[in-house]
Amino acid sequence: MDLLNYFSDWDDVVEFKKKSQLFHELDEADYMFVILSGEVEVTLRGEPLGAEIEGGVIGEMALINNARRSATAVALKKTRVARVDRENFRRIVRDNPDFALHIMAVMANRLRVADQIIAG
């Protein structure tokens, strides 16, 4: 799914300056983010887990299961994101099964990475 195209005219777009924090571990999760431009590093207890670039998503896991944030996200450069709240997320999933499949694929890939980290 082409998230950049889907969210190109999204109403809730936020800009973050370089080194700005999008969210922190244990924050409440009110939004997930689609990166429209820029780059965001995701860390866990200060250890890098990876980075997401234009077209990537972050913050979806805590939004889906109503949990607190499990990681911290920081803009590595000026970054624009589409901010998606829980209500809009549910609407998009209901109206666009490709979006739901895309989010599941993202989460499956993150689980594989976590398995590799745990395995050493």
Side-chain angles (χ1 to χ4, degrees):
M1 176 175 189
D2 182 359
L3 293 182
L4 290 177
N5 187 45
Y6 188 88
F7 287 96
S8 64
D9 61 350
W10 195 250
D11 287 337
D12 192 359
V13 173
V14 181
E15 289 193 6
F16 291 91
K17 295 178 183 176
K18 181 179 179 177
K19 297 185 180 180
S20 296
Q21 202 172 83
L22 283 73
F23 54 80
H24 187 271
E25 290 173 48
L26 302 179
D27 283 352
E28 291 189 27
D30 297 327
Y31 302 95
M32 66 163 272
F33 302 92
V34 177
I35 301 168
L36 302 175
S37 65
E39 185 174 7
V40 177
E41 181 179 47
V42 179
T43 61
L44 177 62
R45 293 183 215 108
E47 294 296 321
L49 294 176
E52 288 289 338
I53 59 171
E54 183 176 291
V57 297
I58 57 172
E60 75 289 340
M61 291 191 316
L63 186 71
I64 289 170
N65 70 350
N66 256 350
R68 293 190 177 270
R69 301 284 186 197
S70 60
T72 297
V74 175
L76 293 177
K77 55 186 169 182
K78 183 179 174 184
T79 300
R80 288 181 60 245
V81 298
R83 195 166 60 169
V84 182
D85 63 20
R86 191 169 281 107
E87 179 182 332
N88 278 309
F89 178 83
R90 288 182 178 144
R91 179 185 54 78
I92 296 167
V93 166
R94 183 186 65 237
D95 295 345
N96 190 335
D98 286 341
F99 177 77
L101 290 170
H102 182 83
I103 295 299
M104 286 188 277
V106 166
M107 292 176 66
N109 288 333
R110 293 205 174 126
L111 181 56
R112 283 191 188 101
V113 169
D115 285 346
Q116 290 173 352
I117 291 170
I118 291 168

